[in-house]
Amino acid sequence: GIPDGGSGGRGGNVVFTLDESLNTLAGLSARTLRPNAFGGGGAAASSKRGSVKKAAEVAAAVEENNVVVKERLYSFRAEDGGNGGRMYDNGRCGEDCLVRVPPGTVIQTDFSTTDDIQDKTELGTISYDTPSIIVARGGEGGEGTATLKGKKKGATRRGPQGGERGKVHLTLEIVADVALVGVPNVGKSTFLAAVTRAKPRIADYPFTTVVPNLGTWIPPLSGRKRDAEQGEDQAAGSTGLVLCDVPGLIAGASQGVGLGHAFLRHIERCRVILHLIDATSENLIEEYHMINEELAQYGSGNLANMPQVVVVNKMDQVEGGEEAKQELADRLKEAMGHTRLMWVSAKEKEGVDDLMVRMSSYVGKMKESASVAVVANTSS
């Protein structure tokens, strides 16, 4: 009879998509499973299924969840395309597999057997500007017999083309407006607790902070009223700032010394560096230069070009009054090469409100400049 077989449907894609409710990649850990429609909004293998002894039970678990069980490797698979039918009935396309991740997730193709970042190619970063990235595209369905109509005798049909397969490496980079950097025990956590509702661990010994801490500064009521008059979302605190407290840096941090190296990548996602200095330190100029050298030596050196505001903390403990304070300010400005210098006492909350209002204005101007640059680039 007349060839009337429909073609097969296209397979679904594996798509990593933004989920604003998430702030960690823990959903992809070995002990959690958050399945979506076709095999994984989270880990494809949990500890429970990894401990199954009987092969039949393992096979049933794989078939039920549409996943491949591997230790510490999690597989996500989209739905296959449907088969074609008679009377020119083409198969339906397979549904995508959506893997939900928090903003700031960097996706890299991983072709290495080590943790060497140079062996990975970056596909992109999940953000509000880029809410989804396709990491593997579905294959094409095979051609049905209907495609032979009008062709010469002996013509062949194209068979189904398999979809893409690969391995990706995920890294979460914290997204914040301001990064707090400095040597250990300079008062970064105390400052974060003074201006936000964050409750970081605070103690009088170095390396109290071992993981980055986030906090959100909410502008004073007068600032929020001004936003409301301008049509801004008052409840969201549109002029608020997100601060990231990075573990203290020491000499050699860019090469892996101390705790800060593992978190230096988070600074790259910030707009401004708030460089805290201990006013009671005997070597504060040397410490200032050391921090900047470590920032310059990390990665491609972009951290050294980020805008920086220097804040002298513990000003209430400076001996010698205003004369000693002015002398210290002159030394710092000479070393800094700019005049963005402020004084605070995070413990006593002196000067912190004025600093944060100024920071909000400074970051706001940077955001406006970035928006103008994007508009100019798109219109050119």
Side-chain angles (χ1 to χ4, degrees):
I2 299 176
D4 62 352
S7 299
R10 181 184 178 87
N13 303 320
V14 177
V15 183
F16 281 71
T17 185
L18 173 69
D19 189 337
E20 299 180 8
S21 65
L22 300 178
N23 57 9
T24 176
L25 292 173
L28 299 176
S29 69
R31 295 187 178 275
T32 58
L33 174 65
R34 296 179 182 176
N36 59 25
F38 299 101
S46 67
S47 59
K48 180 178 179 181
R49 281 183 285 135
S51 62
V52 176
K53 300 298 183 180
K54 298 180 181 179
E57 294 182 10
V58 173
V62 171
E63 182 177 359
E64 178 183 355
N65 293 287
N66 197 22
V67 296
V68 178
V69 178
K70 286 187 179 180
E71 181 157 0
R72 303 194 64 81
L73 290 178
Y74 313 119
S75 176
F76 303 96
R77 181 178 178 178
E79 186 187 26
D80 294 336
N83 296 327
R86 296 190 60 184
M87 300 182 65
Y88 309 101
D89 182 18
N90 293 329
R92 69 178 183 86
C93 296
E95 293 191 28
D96 294 341
C97 171
L98 300 180
V99 183
R100 296 172 177 80
V101 293
T105 300
V106 180
I107 305 175
Q108 299 168 310
T109 56
D110 189 353
F111 298 105
S112 65
T113 57
T114 65
D115 291 333
D116 187 357
I117 198 69
Q118 296 179 352
D119 292 335
K120 300 180 177 68
T121 302
E122 185 170 322
L123 294 178
T125 302
I126 298 294
S127 64
Y128 295 99
D129 295 328
T130 309
S132 61
I133 295 176
I134 299 176
V135 299
R137 297 186 179 276
E140 295 286 348
E143 293 180 340
T145 57
T147 60
L148 297 177
K149 292 184 62 175
K151 294 183 179 180
K152 295 181 179 179
K153 186 177 181 180
T156 58
R157 294 175 290 147
R158 175 181 54 79
Q161 306 294 318
E164 296 178 341
R165 299 168 61 96
K167 186 167 65 172
V168 294
H169 179 85
L170 302 182
T171 304
L172 179 60
E173 292 186 347
I174 294 175
V175 181
D177 296 305
V178 180
L180 307 180
V181 302
V183 297
N185 210 30
V186 75
K188 299 185 300 299
S189 298
T190 304
F191 179 84
L192 183 69
V195 299
T196 72
R197 294 182 179 181
K199 303 296 181 183
R201 184 179 181 183
I202 300 174
D204 58 354
Y205 54 83
F207 296 113
T208 308
T209 302
V210 295
V211 294
N213 293 307
L214 286 179
T216 302
W217 172 78
I218 304 299
L221 183 60
S222 59
R224 283 183 282 171
K225 285 183 177 179
R226 184 167 55 251
D227 290 340
E229 293 174 357
Q230 297 174 357
E232 301 286 355
D233 184 358
Q234 181 175 350
S238 58
T239 54
L241 298 177
V242 179
L243 288 76
C244 176
D245 172 19
V246 180
L249 304 177
I250 61 176
S254 61
Q255 306 300 321
V257 179
L259 298 175
H261 173 265
F263 308 108
L264 279 172
R265 67 177 183 271
H266 298 309
I267 304 178
E268 295 178 314
R269 304 286 297 171
C270 301
R271 298 181 183 273
V272 181
I273 293 177
L274 203 63
H275 188 159
L276 271 72
I277 295 178
D278 187 350
T280 63
S281 173
E282 298 179 356
N283 305 307
L284 78 171
I285 300 296
E286 290 78 5
E287 292 172 350
Y288 170 80
H289 286 304
M290 183 272 294
I291 293 293
N292 284 326
E293 288 175 2
E294 294 302 324
L295 295 177
Q297 294 174 11
Y298 177 76
S300 59
N302 292 332
L303 295 182
N305 300 323
M306 291 184 61
Q308 189 174 128
V309 176
V310 178
V311 177
V312 182
N313 190 27
K314 307 180 184 180
M315 69 175 188
D316 56 313
Q317 302 180 30
V318 176
E319 298 180 357
E322 290 296 326
E323 183 176 347
K325 181 178 176 180
Q326 184 60 46
E327 179 184 354
L328 181 57
D330 293 338
R331 292 172 55 198
L332 278 172
K333 289 181 180 179
E334 182 179 357
M336 290 159 46
H338 59 82
T339 59
R340 295 188 295 273
L341 175 67
M342 296 196 68
W343 298 73
V344 302
S345 173
K347 184 177 181 180
E348 303 298 331
K349 296 186 178 182
E350 295 181 17
V352 294
D353 292 336
D354 182 38
L355 169 62
M356 292 310 300
V357 171
R358 289 172 178 260
M359 287 297 300
S360 177
S361 176
Y362 185 49
V363 173
K365 292 179 180 178
M366 292 186 60
K367 291 181 178 179
E368 291 178 2
S369 300
S371 300
V372 171
V374 170
V375 171
N377 187 33
T378 54
S379 60
S380 60

